[in-house]
Amino acid sequence: MVSSLAPALADRFGGAAFAAQSCSLARLDIRSPAGSGDAVRQSFSVEIADTHESRARGLMYRRALDPGAGMLFIYDRPQRAEFWMKNTYIPLDIIFADDHGRVTVVHENAVPQDLTLIPGGEGVRYVLEINGGLARRSGIRPGSEMRHPRIADASWPCP
């Protein structure tokens, strides 16, 4: 099942066509944990933050984020990751994932402007920021799997 937050793609593309369409540099797919029994999949239009400068800036100074959009932070190698909300004006869900794109930590509704460090733990290679509250509504939780062309060793690879 494709989440209701991606109706345009769901209506326009079916099955394999949807998979091929959504597996692009501009989109990230995320699905329920393997074997969980619920086949929920969400697709987000993403901006990539893969340099020190773009990761440091993140979504700071933004006043809004489209419901189907997010930012994908990509690190060169798995590492310890911590985020904060300095100069960030919108509540965010921060989703940390390992080298295989498997979600390890979901921090819901990070408070705008808060300087408290949000730990993602060790072995983080990818981080997805989306609107606050959306992770829970979309069924995103530890064990969920991300798919994107930049996730080279994904447990759910691009076709």
Side-chain angles (χ1 to χ4, degrees):
M1 174 178 110
V2 175
S3 171
S4 62
L5 294 174
L9 285 177
D11 292 342
R12 196 165 150 201
F13 304 101
F18 177 83
Q21 174 67 20
S22 62
C23 210
S24 74
L25 290 173
R27 298 210 68 80
L28 176 132
D29 293 334
I30 190 164
R31 71 178 181 185
S32 306
S36 66
D38 56 350
V40 176
R41 182 172 72 190
Q42 174 67 52
S43 183
F44 294 95
S45 120
V46 290
E47 296 175 54
I48 303 294
D50 60 356
T51 65
H52 176 72
E53 294 77 20
S54 63
R55 288 189 299 261
R57 182 169 178 91
L59 291 171
M60 289 194 307
Y61 307 108
R62 307 271 180 104
R63 297 288 179 180
L65 182 64
D66 288 339
M71 180 169 279
L72 178 62
F73 295 75
I74 302 173
Y75 295 96
D76 295 331
R77 65 190 183 302
Q79 59 189 22
R80 179 173 182 76
E82 297 178 322
F83 277 52
W84 65 354
M85 295 292 286
K86 181 178 181 176
N87 299 318
T88 305
Y89 303 127
I90 52 179
L92 297 172
D93 288 347
I94 305 174
I95 302 159
F96 299 89
D98 67 13
D99 202 34
H100 304 287
R102 230 178 338 260
V103 174
T104 54
V105 174
V106 177
H107 181 89
E108 296 182 36
N109 287 304
V111 178
Q113 302 282 1
D114 189 359
L115 300 182
T116 304
L117 290 178
I118 299 166
E122 300 290 335
V124 174
R125 180 87 188 270
Y126 307 97
V127 179
L128 176 64
E129 289 185 338
I130 57 176
N131 280 295
L134 190 52
R136 180 179 301 268
R137 290 192 308 272
S138 299
I140 299 169
R141 59 187 185 271
S144 294
E145 298 170 316
M146 295 180 180
R147 176 172 74 172
H148 185 272
R150 297 279 306 270
I151 302 176
D153 195 22
S155 50
W156 179 34
C158 285

